Amino acid sequence: MEMLSRIVSFINGILWDRNLLLFLLVGTGIFYSFRTRFVQIRLFRRAWKRVFSGFSLNGDRADKDGMSSFQALTTAIAAQVGTGNIAGCATALFSGGPGAIFWMWISAFFGMATIYGEAVLAQKTRTRDASGHISGGPVHYIHAAFRGPFGSFLGAFFSIAIILALGFMGNMVQSNSISEAFYEAFGIPKVAVGVLCAFIAGFIFIGGISRIAAFTEKIVPVMALLYLIGGVTVLFINYRNLPSAIASIFICAFRPEAVYGAASGLTVKAAVRFGVARGLFSNEAGMGSTPHAHAMAKVEKPGDQGETAMIGVFIDTFVVLNMTALVILSSGVLEPVSGGRTGTVLAQAAFSTGLGKLGSGFVAICLLFFAFSTIISWYFFGEANVKVLFGQGAVKLYAVIVVICILIGSMLKVNLVWDMSDMFNGLMVIPNLLAVLALHRMVAKSAFDQDEAN
């Protein structure tokens, strides 16, 4: 076990401490922004209208031909809007200072171009499996980008990494976050929370794509609205501090010592590192997770879903995550790098400044919605790759293992599991972005075709 821990630590050091993934993710976003002539700006207005003009919480039932574009988006957002939007944002503020939020914005802006490319490629390379159901995701465009044994290896590597990172270990992380938040807020035993989460998740898993799509299209808009209402309430109460909170984001992005002093230890490097890292792995642009949902969308052209996918990144970072940041900064509870509160506890303290004793419980309930919806989507992403590797017959066993992971994760926090989740999250990025970069011409053509459709 000690040897495994050392190996995981070594790999994470290369991926994270040396900023390999940050350069790869941001670099891909910058490249795609120029390659598509900043599709995230040119087509944003139409993308927004596409998503919000006439959407319904009761769309058509998803079937073997896929799901509606809105259901695909909510399934993607369910994965994007998770613990990272609360605990991850708080951690970024604690470790990188208010300036980290500015760099989150920058990473999300370029990430919108990356996720446009991922969604387009998922649509263009999707196929039907042996049972006649739509099948799509990074493994398909990896095979399209790299033929022969190398493509097969990269595809298998990606599938194994995402099954472990999201389906198993990632869902342990999510269920642990739920149980800890409810224990701190209400004193509810972690095992009770774990059993309930595992039971409900299992019920949804059994229903397949139709039940997953029906769940996400209802829960995602409701949970986002609930969180925003609570956040706006706190901001209204702390409105006097809001201008200085916003100013600190811009000042600390370039001169953190001007706000917290040189003794705080905050640097521009820390702001960039934690802001970009937490931002990218909150909106999941470039990770290769959300293309599984976007591949299932019933749309006329691949570019249509590419536009829709961009809105997912926008909502995740510029709306939900931004709300957490402004609540924390305006509340005055942030004590960066000084041994103060961080993670979910910091967010709960911030909301308590406006909501009083209800603040801690409010964050716990929102975290339940965020993390549980992520569990559902991550299961779905892993299931798609289980089918590719092992066939439809392995899905039931996979579902059982995920349910067990949810239960165990709620009761037991093992640092090695958390570290391994980070490692496989990072490893799955590499084959995904290699394929995305290799197929840039296909994406650029789609982006230019969208221009002609305007």
Side-chain angles (χ1 to χ4, degrees):
M1 190 66 71
E2 184 177 347
M3 178 62 71
L4 178 60
S5 180
R6 289 179 180 177
I7 294 173
V8 172
S9 179
F10 174 75
I11 296 175
N12 278 339
I14 296 175
L15 295 174
W16 299 108
D17 295 341
R18 298 180 186 178
N19 297 327
L20 171 63
L21 290 180
L22 297 189
F23 287 118
L24 183 59
L25 285 161
V26 176
T28 301
I30 293 173
F31 171 76
Y32 258 88
S33 294
F34 283 97
R35 190 69 181 84
T36 61
R37 295 204 294 262
F38 287 87
V39 67
Q40 66 268 57
I41 297 176
R42 293 187 297 105
L43 302 180
F44 181 81
R45 179 179 295 181
R46 194 174 71 175
W48 187 266
K49 290 181 179 178
R50 184 183 301 280
V51 172
F52 291 104
S53 59
F55 78 89
S56 171
L57 299 183
N58 293 289
D60 294 336
R61 183 181 178 87
D63 53 29
K64 67 178 183 178
D65 295 320
M67 59 181 74
S68 71
S69 178
F70 183 73
Q71 289 170 337
L73 175 64
T74 55
T75 302
I77 293 178
Q80 294 166 312
V81 178
T83 56
N85 292 77
I86 297 178
C89 177
T91 301
L93 285 168
F94 176 81
S95 302
I101 303 305
F102 176 84
W103 297 109
M104 280 184 178
W105 296 342
I106 297 299
S107 67
F109 174 75
F110 290 117
M112 289 172 72
T114 302
I115 211 162
Y116 175 89
E118 289 181 294
V120 167
L121 293 175
Q123 279 281 320
K124 282 183 171 290
T125 59
R126 67 181 190 171
T127 60
R128 289 189 182 271
D129 59 23
S131 61
H133 289 74
I134 290 292
S135 174
V139 69
H140 292 272
Y141 56 73
I142 289 172
H143 290 160
F146 306 105
R147 304 289 182 178
F150 183 63
S152 298
F153 167 76
L154 284 182
F157 181 87
F158 174 85
S159 292
I160 293 171
I162 194 171
I163 291 168
L164 294 174
L166 303 187
F168 297 159
M169 298 171 196
N171 280 334
M172 290 180 71
V173 172
Q174 297 295 332
S175 65
N176 186 266
S177 298
I178 296 172
S179 64
E180 284 193 344
F182 268 74
Y183 180 77
E184 290 295 327
F186 307 111
I188 300 176
K190 294 181 179 180
V191 63
V193 176
V195 169
L196 181 62
C197 287
F199 176 79
I200 298 175
F203 173 76
I204 296 173
F205 296 164
I206 292 172
I209 183 176
S210 60
R211 192 169 294 171
I212 291 172
F215 173 81
T216 60
E217 75 174 345
K218 294 175 178 61
I219 199 67
V220 167
V222 171
M223 75 181 190
L225 182 61
L226 172 67
Y227 189 68
L228 293 178
I229 290 173
V232 169
T233 302
V234 177
L235 292 181
F236 181 78
I237 294 172
N238 296 329
Y239 74 94
R240 289 186 178 87
N241 301 329
L242 194 56
S244 61
I246 296 173
S248 70
I249 294 175
F250 292 95
I251 295 172
C252 290
F254 304 99
R255 293 178 59 233
E257 73 281 356
V259 175
Y260 289 97
S264 69
L266 288 177
T267 63
V268 174
K269 181 180 179 180
V272 173
R273 181 186 184 280
F274 288 100
V276 173
R278 295 295 178 181
L280 286 170
F281 280 85
S282 172
N283 59 56
E284 301 192 18
M287 281 182 59
S289 53
T290 59
H292 296 92
H294 295 302
M296 307 298 293
K298 300 174 182 177
V299 290
E300 292 184 7
K301 296 179 298 183
D304 294 346
Q305 194 60 25
E307 293 178 8
T308 301
M310 293 192 301
I311 299 302
V313 173
F314 182 86
I315 291 173
D316 171 84
T317 302
F318 292 102
V319 179
V320 180
L321 190 147
N322 226 29
M323 181 61 69
T324 304
L326 292 176
V327 167
I328 292 175
L329 291 175
S330 65
S331 67
V333 300
L334 179 64
E335 301 173 26
V337 298
S338 62
R341 292 164 292 199
T342 187
T344 304
V345 175
L346 176 60
Q348 289 177 315
F351 274 90
S352 294
T353 64
L355 303 180
K357 294 181 179 179
L358 296 176
S360 181
F362 175 78
V363 172
I365 292 172
C366 289
L367 194 63
L368 168 65
F369 283 120
F370 287 5
F372 188 77
S373 63
T374 298
I375 286 173
I376 301 304
S377 289
W378 281 2
Y379 164 84
F380 175 66
F381 301 160
E383 180 191 80
N385 288 275
V386 167
K387 291 178 180 178
V388 171
L389 287 179
F390 308 109
Q392 181 67 37
V395 169
K396 290 184 179 179
L397 176 60
Y398 166 71
V400 170
I401 296 175
V402 173
V403 169
I404 293 173
C405 286
I406 293 169
L407 180 59
I408 294 175
S410 67
M411 297 180 289
L412 182 65
K413 181 173 182 177
V414 180
N415 289 335
L416 179 59
V417 174
W418 265 241
D419 291 340
M420 290 179 70
S421 177
D422 287 340
M423 180 184 72
F424 285 113
N425 263 313
L427 290 175
M428 63 189 255
V429 169
I430 298 173
N432 177 61
L433 288 189
L434 286 176
V436 169
L437 289 169
L439 298 173
H440 64 90
R441 290 183 179 84
M442 187 183 297
V443 176
K445 183 179 185 304
S446 176
F448 302 149
D449 288 344
Q450 292 296 103
D451 281 339
E452 297 175 4
N454 277 333

Short mmCIF file of all heavy atoms in Angstrom, two decimals, residues 293-322:
data_model
loop_
_atom_site.label_atom_id
_atom_site.label_comp_id
_atom_site.label_asym_id
_atom_site.label_seq_id
_atom_site.Cartn_x
_atom_site.Cartn_y
_atom_site.Cartn_z
N ALA A 293 -22.44 12.90 -22.73
CA ALA A 293 -23.81 13.41 -22.72
C ALA A 293 -24.14 14.11 -24.03
O ALA A 293 -25.20 13.87 -24.62
CB ALA A 293 -24.00 14.37 -21.55
N HIS A 294 -23.23 14.94 -24.51
CA HIS A 294 -23.50 15.71 -25.73
C HIS A 294 -23.60 14.81 -26.96
O HIS A 294 -24.27 15.17 -27.93
CB HIS A 294 -22.42 16.77 -25.92
CG HIS A 294 -22.42 17.81 -24.84
ND1 HIS A 294 -23.53 18.58 -24.56
CD2 HIS A 294 -21.46 18.21 -23.95
CE1 HIS A 294 -23.26 19.40 -23.56
NE2 HIS A 294 -22.01 19.21 -23.18
N ALA A 295 -22.96 13.66 -26.93
CA ALA A 295 -23.06 12.72 -28.04
C ALA A 295 -24.47 12.19 -28.20
O ALA A 295 -24.88 11.78 -29.29
CB ALA A 295 -22.09 11.55 -27.83
N MET A 296 -25.25 12.20 -27.12
CA MET A 296 -26.59 11.62 -27.13
C MET A 296 -27.66 12.60 -27.60
O MET A 296 -28.82 12.22 -27.78
CB MET A 296 -26.96 11.14 -25.71
CG MET A 296 -25.96 10.19 -25.08
SD MET A 296 -25.77 8.67 -26.02
CE MET A 296 -27.39 7.95 -25.78
N ALA A 297 -27.30 13.86 -27.80
CA ALA A 297 -28.29 14.89 -28.14
C ALA A 297 -28.87 14.70 -29.54
O ALA A 297 -28.14 14.42 -30.48
CB ALA A 297 -27.67 16.27 -28.02
N LYS A 298 -30.16 14.88 -29.65
CA LYS A 298 -30.83 14.84 -30.95
C LYS A 298 -30.84 16.25 -31.53
O LYS A 298 -31.67 17.09 -31.16
CB LYS A 298 -32.27 14.33 -30.78
CG LYS A 298 -32.38 12.93 -30.18
CD LYS A 298 -33.84 12.57 -29.93
CE LYS A 298 -33.99 11.21 -29.28
NZ LYS A 298 -35.40 10.88 -28.96
N VAL A 299 -29.89 16.53 -32.40
CA VAL A 299 -29.77 17.86 -33.01
C VAL A 299 -29.59 17.72 -34.51
O VAL A 299 -29.23 16.65 -35.02
CB VAL A 299 -28.57 18.64 -32.41
CG1 VAL A 299 -28.85 19.04 -30.98
CG2 VAL A 299 -27.29 17.83 -32.50
N GLU A 300 -29.83 18.81 -35.23
CA GLU A 300 -29.71 18.77 -36.68
C GLU A 300 -28.25 18.72 -37.12
O GLU A 300 -27.90 18.01 -38.05
CB GLU A 300 -30.39 20.01 -37.28
CG GLU A 300 -31.90 20.03 -37.12
CD GLU A 300 -32.52 21.23 -37.82
OE1 GLU A 300 -31.79 21.95 -38.53
OE2 GLU A 300 -33.74 21.45 -37.65
N LYS A 301 -27.39 19.51 -36.46
CA LYS A 301 -25.98 19.58 -36.83
C LYS A 301 -25.12 19.47 -35.58
O LYS A 301 -25.52 19.94 -34.51
CB LYS A 301 -25.68 20.90 -37.55
CG LYS A 301 -26.40 21.08 -38.88
CD LYS A 301 -26.04 22.43 -39.49
CE LYS A 301 -26.50 23.56 -38.60
NZ LYS A 301 -26.23 24.90 -39.20
N PRO A 302 -23.91 18.88 -35.69
CA PRO A 302 -23.01 18.78 -34.54
C PRO A 302 -22.73 20.13 -33.89
O PRO A 302 -22.63 20.22 -32.66
CB PRO A 302 -21.74 18.17 -35.14
CG PRO A 302 -22.23 17.37 -36.29
CD PRO A 302 -23.36 18.17 -36.87
N GLY A 303 -22.61 21.18 -34.70
CA GLY A 303 -22.33 22.50 -34.16
C GLY A 303 -23.42 23.02 -33.24
O GLY A 303 -23.16 23.83 -32.35
N ASP A 304 -24.66 22.56 -33.47
CA ASP A 304 -25.76 22.98 -32.60
C ASP A 304 -25.50 22.57 -31.16
O ASP A 304 -25.72 23.34 -30.22
CB ASP A 304 -27.08 22.38 -33.08
CG ASP A 304 -27.50 22.90 -34.44
OD1 ASP A 304 -26.93 23.92 -34.89
OD2 ASP A 304 -28.39 22.29 -35.06
N GLN A 305 -25.03 21.33 -30.97
CA GLN A 305 -24.76 20.86 -29.62
C GLN A 305 -23.46 21.46 -29.08
O GLN A 305 -23.31 21.62 -27.87
CB GLN A 305 -24.69 19.33 -29.56
CG GLN A 305 -24.75 18.75 -28.15
CD GLN A 305 -26.03 19.13 -27.42
OE1 GLN A 305 -27.06 19.42 -28.04
NE2 GLN A 305 -25.98 19.13 -26.09
N GLY A 306 -22.55 21.81 -29.99
CA GLY A 306 -21.35 22.51 -29.55
C GLY A 306 -21.70 23.84 -28.90
O GLY A 306 -21.14 24.22 -27.87
N GLU A 307 -22.64 24.55 -29.51
CA GLU A 307 -23.09 25.82 -28.93
C GLU A 307 -23.72 25.59 -27.56
O GLU A 307 -23.46 26.32 -26.60
CB GLU A 307 -24.11 26.48 -29.85
CG GLU A 307 -23.54 26.94 -31.18
CD GLU A 307 -24.60 27.55 -32.08
OE1 GLU A 307 -25.74 27.73 -31.61
OE2 GLU A 307 -24.30 27.83 -33.25
N THR A 308 -24.56 24.57 -27.48
CA THR A 308 -25.22 24.26 -26.21
C THR A 308 -24.20 23.92 -25.13
O THR A 308 -24.35 24.33 -23.97
CB THR A 308 -26.20 23.09 -26.40
OG1 THR A 308 -27.17 23.45 -27.38
CG2 THR A 308 -26.90 22.73 -25.11
N ALA A 309 -23.18 23.17 -25.49
CA ALA A 309 -22.16 22.77 -24.52
C ALA A 309 -21.44 23.97 -23.92
O ALA A 309 -21.08 23.96 -22.74
CB ALA A 309 -21.15 21.83 -25.19
N MET A 310 -21.24 25.01 -24.71
CA MET A 310 -20.57 26.20 -24.20
C MET A 310 -21.35 26.83 -23.05
O MET A 310 -20.76 27.35 -22.10
CB MET A 310 -20.38 27.24 -25.32
CG MET A 310 -19.42 26.82 -26.41
SD MET A 310 -18.98 28.20 -27.50
CE MET A 310 -20.58 28.71 -28.15
N ILE A 311 -22.67 26.78 -23.13
CA ILE A 311 -23.50 27.37 -22.09
C ILE A 311 -23.31 26.62 -20.77
O ILE A 311 -23.41 27.20 -19.69
CB ILE A 311 -24.98 27.37 -22.50
CG1 ILE A 311 -25.16 28.20 -23.78
CG2 ILE A 311 -25.86 27.93 -21.39
CD1 ILE A 311 -24.70 29.64 -23.66
N GLY A 312 -23.02 25.33 -20.85
CA GLY A 312 -22.77 24.55 -19.64
C GLY A 312 -21.58 25.08 -18.86
O GLY A 312 -21.62 25.22 -17.63
N VAL A 313 -20.48 25.39 -19.57
CA VAL A 313 -19.30 25.96 -18.92
C VAL A 313 -19.63 27.34 -18.35
O VAL A 313 -19.22 27.68 -17.23
CB VAL A 313 -18.13 26.06 -19.91
CG1 VAL A 313 -16.95 26.80 -19.28
CG2 VAL A 313 -17.68 24.67 -20.34
N PHE A 314 -20.37 28.13 -19.10
CA PHE A 314 -20.73 29.47 -18.65
C PHE A 314 -21.54 29.41 -17.35
O PHE A 314 -21.25 30.13 -16.39
CB PHE A 314 -21.53 30.19 -19.73
CG PHE A 314 -21.91 31.60 -19.36
CD1 PHE A 314 -21.03 32.64 -19.59
CD2 PHE A 314 -23.14 31.88 -18.77
CE1 PHE A 314 -21.36 33.94 -19.24
CE2 PHE A 314 -23.48 33.17 -18.42
CZ PHE A 314 -22.59 34.21 -18.65
N ILE A 315 -22.55 28.55 -17.31
CA ILE A 315 -23.39 28.43 -16.11
C ILE A 315 -22.57 27.93 -14.93
O ILE A 315 -22.68 28.45 -13.81
CB ILE A 315 -24.58 27.50 -16.39
CG1 ILE A 315 -25.54 28.16 -17.37
CG2 ILE A 315 -25.30 27.14 -15.09
CD1 ILE A 315 -26.67 27.25 -17.83
N ASP A 316 -21.74 26.94 -15.16
CA ASP A 316 -20.95 26.36 -14.08
C ASP A 316 -20.04 27.40 -13.43
O ASP A 316 -20.03 27.53 -12.21
CB ASP A 316 -20.10 25.20 -14.62
CG ASP A 316 -19.10 24.71 -13.60
OD1 ASP A 316 -19.48 23.87 -12.76
OD2 ASP A 316 -17.93 25.16 -13.62
N THR A 317 -19.26 28.12 -14.24
CA THR A 317 -18.23 29.02 -13.70
C THR A 317 -18.74 30.43 -13.47
O THR A 317 -18.60 30.99 -12.38
CB THR A 317 -17.01 29.06 -14.63
OG1 THR A 317 -16.51 27.74 -14.80
CG2 THR A 317 -15.92 29.95 -14.05
N PHE A 318 -19.33 31.04 -14.50
CA PHE A 318 -19.68 32.45 -14.41
C PHE A 318 -20.97 32.70 -13.62
O PHE A 318 -21.25 33.85 -13.25
CB PHE A 318 -19.80 33.05 -15.81
CG PHE A 318 -18.49 33.15 -16.52
CD1 PHE A 318 -18.16 32.22 -17.50
CD2 PHE A 318 -17.57 34.13 -16.20
CE1 PHE A 318 -16.94 32.29 -18.17
CE2 PHE A 318 -16.37 34.21 -16.85
CZ PHE A 318 -16.04 33.29 -17.84
N VAL A 319 -21.75 31.66 -13.36
CA VAL A 319 -22.98 31.83 -12.60
C VAL A 319 -22.86 31.17 -11.22
O VAL A 319 -22.82 31.86 -10.19
CB VAL A 319 -24.20 31.28 -13.37
CG1 VAL A 319 -25.47 31.44 -12.54
CG2 VAL A 319 -24.34 31.99 -14.71
N VAL A 320 -22.80 29.83 -11.18
CA VAL A 320 -22.86 29.11 -9.91
C VAL A 320 -21.59 29.30 -9.09
O VAL A 320 -21.63 29.69 -7.91
CB VAL A 320 -23.14 27.62 -10.15
CG1 VAL A 320 -23.21 26.88 -8.81
CG2 VAL A 320 -24.44 27.43 -10.91
N LEU A 321 -20.43 29.01 -9.69
CA LEU A 321 -19.18 29.13 -8.95
C LEU A 321 -18.92 30.59 -8.56
O LEU A 321 -18.42 30.88 -7.46
CB LEU A 321 -18.03 28.59 -9.80
CG LEU A 321 -16.67 28.40 -9.11
CD1 LEU A 321 -15.93 27.21 -9.71
CD2 LEU A 321 -15.81 29.64 -9.26
N ASN A 322 -19.28 31.51 -9.43
CA ASN A 322 -19.12 32.93 -9.14
C ASN A 322 -19.94 33.34 -7.92
O ASN A 322 -19.52 34.18 -7.12
CB ASN A 322 -19.55 33.75 -10.35
CG ASN A 322 -18.56 34.84 -10.68
OD1 ASN A 322 -17.37 34.73 -10.42
ND2 ASN A 322 -19.06 35.92 -11.26
#
